[in-house]
Amino acid sequence: MTIRTALDDALAARGVSAEQFSELMIRLLDHGVLCRDENKREAEFYDRYLQVADLVEDYLTVLRIRLLHEPRFHSLRLFPPGAEVPGLADSDDAFNSGLRERLSQAEVALILVLRAEYDKSLREGQIDENGQVTLPLEALSLAHKNLLGRPLPEGLVERRNLFRRLRQLRIIRYAGDEALEDSESWLTIRADITSLVSDTVLAELADAGEPAGNDAPSPEEDSP
């Protein structure tokens, strides 16, 4: 029996076609993350994953890709070969694909600030039933200045691109680009932020005696 035949038989037993499995794997490998509450399409992919979770994980194991499944938050996130969960340390393994796209300095900085604000809200009990935190854009801007010694990008295009990238990574949610023009707008920090920045890095940021610069601790700079 070939591997393909064995896979087809296993999929048939779960009521999933080979085409549906292929579609799920392509989506996962292309995006690197799935959140059920993002939209109807991602909900369909997440539910399909639950049907064939063992087959997906076996497939990824062969590629040495690690999958972090957070059942509480209905989310999946992939980590490339060599990356540790929560994706801070990395080996010298080369892996040049969509799973390892270098984050910009501005993206790394904002992720750090978001993680710090998430932890603060968690300590204060300001967290919803899905493990998410809601934060005013004005508060995020102030935290960015206080923690890193520099403001969020002032240019609207640059700011939009920055926030869009983090939304693509399923780190934040917000109403739309127009919301970024209003300091009174709110955004949601997803619980998945904890899989990208560990408590150790967060502590290093908090203990820094001066605004973070080139020597500031940074999360894994390769996106999932």
Side-chain angles (χ1 to χ4, degrees), residues 115-126:
R115 177 65 170 92
E117 288 300 295
Y118 183 91
D119 192 66
K120 177 183 176 183
S121 295
L122 184 62
R123 292 195 307 270
E124 296 174 352
Q126 298 177 356

Side-chain angles (χ1 to χ4, degrees), residues 139-161:
L140 176 61
S141 180
L142 181 62
H144 197 286
K145 182 66 179 292
N146 290 339
L147 284 172
L148 303 180
R150 58 182 182 272
L152 285 168
E154 296 182 1
L156 184 57
V157 173
E158 184 181 1
R159 181 176 292 200
R160 283 180 174 179
N161 290 338

